[in-house]
């Protein structure tokens, strides 16, 4: 499986800040990501985000482990973290689930922080199976949705909106199996603000810190 190594958004912030610390405003925001190569784009409050960062998470409609419909309207005005898993995965997925629980515990009952775990084997992961998985793994938060639906729609959203396993100039479709360890942080305007290795607890601690930074942006 092709591996691409990404530096977390916090590292990019540290690197750029060190290179130009005298030129950075006192409160620098997290970078934005517009393209599948995840090149960070740093903006200050004076720049027009809507013009410079056109990429946003597209429309979707899937069903969660409780049989509820979750759409793009469910995340409007909210910060969300997305990952891609499947219930029969015995390699990285169990660790990713445990690490997503760290985020759940950091923001208990916080309706402004949503967790979306998309199944990449939706033809296997029915609502009932996702419910069993959630119960087995102690997932109780109303804000953590394990999602299933049409494979083509999940894969299209994953690759075109979240840039999962994508790169510039090369596109995959639903015939190519999707398997990635990355967590994506998306702000309240549906713009990607961070990418993290979901198998590393250190990255999860940084992700939690970055969520708190985004919450301050919207306060």
């Amino acid at each position: 499986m092709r591996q691409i190594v990404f530096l977390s958004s916090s590292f990019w912030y540290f690197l750029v800040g060190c290179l130009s610390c005298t030129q950075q405003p006192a409160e620098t925001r997290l970078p934005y990501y517009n393209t599948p190569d995840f090149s960070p784009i740093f903006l200050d409050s004076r720049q027009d985000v809507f013009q410079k960062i056109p990429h946003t998470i597209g429309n979707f409609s899937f069903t969660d482990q409780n049989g509820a419909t979750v759409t793009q309207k469910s995340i409007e005005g909210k910060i969300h973290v997305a990952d891609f898993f499947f219930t029969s995965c015995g390699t990285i997925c169990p660790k990713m689930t445990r690490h997503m629980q760290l985020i759940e515990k950091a923001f208990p009952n916080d309706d402004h922080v949503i967790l979306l775990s998309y199944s990449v084997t939706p033809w296997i992961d029915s609502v009932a199976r996702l419910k069993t998985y959630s119960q087995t793994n102690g997932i109780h938060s109303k804000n953590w949705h394990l999602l299933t639906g049409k494979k083509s729609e999940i894969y299209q959203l994953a690759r075109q909106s979240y840039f999962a396993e994508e790169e510039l100039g090369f596109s995959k479709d639903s015939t190519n199996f999707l398997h990635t360890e990355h967590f994506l942080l998306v702000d309240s305007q549906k713009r990607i603000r961070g990418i993290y290795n979901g198998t590393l607890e250190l990255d999860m601690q940084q992700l939690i810190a970055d969520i708190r930074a985004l919450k301050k942006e919207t306060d």
Side-chain angles (χ1 to χ4, degrees):
M1 181 176 66
R2 176 174 56 86
Q3 296 289 331
I4 300 177
V5 177
F6 293 100
L7 298 178
S8 68
S9 57
S10 58
F11 184 83
W12 280 113
Y13 167 78
F14 174 79
L15 181 61
V16 174
C18 287
L19 292 175
S20 55
C21 56
T22 60
Q23 301 176 6
Q24 292 294 314
E27 185 177 345
T28 303
R29 299 184 177 186
L30 295 176
Y32 293 85
Y33 298 94
N34 250 343
T35 54
D37 62 356
F38 285 94
S39 295
I41 301 172
F42 290 88
L43 302 179
D44 61 38
S45 59
R46 296 183 298 275
Q47 294 176 296
D48 191 336
V49 173
F50 292 94
Q51 289 184 355
K52 294 183 178 294
I53 313 296
H55 182 78
T56 59
I57 303 303
N59 294 344
F60 62 89
S61 179
F62 301 116
T63 307
D64 74 4
Q65 71 272 26
N66 297 311
T69 299
V70 177
T71 73
Q72 73 280 356
K73 293 184 179 180
S74 304
I75 60 172
E76 285 182 355
K78 302 177 181 181
I79 296 165
H80 81 271
V81 179
D83 76 330
F84 302 89
F85 83 114
F86 56 108
T87 60
S88 58
C89 169
T91 54
I92 64 174
C93 297
K95 181 175 288 188
M96 290 168 62
T97 297
R98 290 195 300 271
H99 285 171
M100 189 70 86
Q101 288 174 320
L102 297 176
I103 304 169
E104 176 191 23
K105 292 175 182 177
F107 302 95
N109 303 314
D110 188 336
D111 291 337
H112 295 289
V113 179
I114 305 297
L115 308 180
L116 302 181
S117 293
Y118 297 91
S119 170
V120 298
T121 60
W123 62 93
I124 297 174
D125 291 334
S126 63
V127 170
R129 190 177 178 101
L130 291 178
K131 184 66 173 180
T132 299
Y133 183 87
S134 68
Q135 293 172 337
T136 300
N137 288 276
I139 298 171
H140 305 297
S141 173
K142 65 179 180 178
N143 297 320
W144 186 353
H145 304 279
L146 311 182
L147 299 174
T148 189
K150 292 183 179 179
K151 176 186 176 184
S152 59
E153 294 178 2
I154 290 177
Y155 277 45
Q156 181 179 32
L157 183 75
R159 290 187 163 129
Q160 294 184 12
S161 283
Y162 292 105
F163 301 139
E165 289 193 332
E166 286 292 87
E167 56 185 310
L168 287 173
F170 181 77
S171 296
K172 296 180 179 180
D173 58 30
S174 59
T175 62
N176 299 109
F177 186 65
L178 173 64
H179 199 200
T180 175
E181 71 274 20
H182 294 125
F183 285 16
L184 287 305
L185 174 61
V186 182
D187 67 17
S188 60
Q189 301 300 316
K190 303 178 188 174
R191 289 176 168 81
I192 298 174
R193 304 297 296 275
I195 180 170
Y196 312 81
N197 188 324
T199 68
L200 301 178
E201 186 173 344
L202 183 62
D203 268 27
M204 296 304 96
Q205 296 305 320
Q206 186 59 58
L207 173 51
I208 290 169
D210 289 349
I211 291 173
R212 290 180 176 137
L214 282 187
K215 287 172 67 69
K216 290 181 179 179
E217 282 188 11
T218 56
D219 288 344

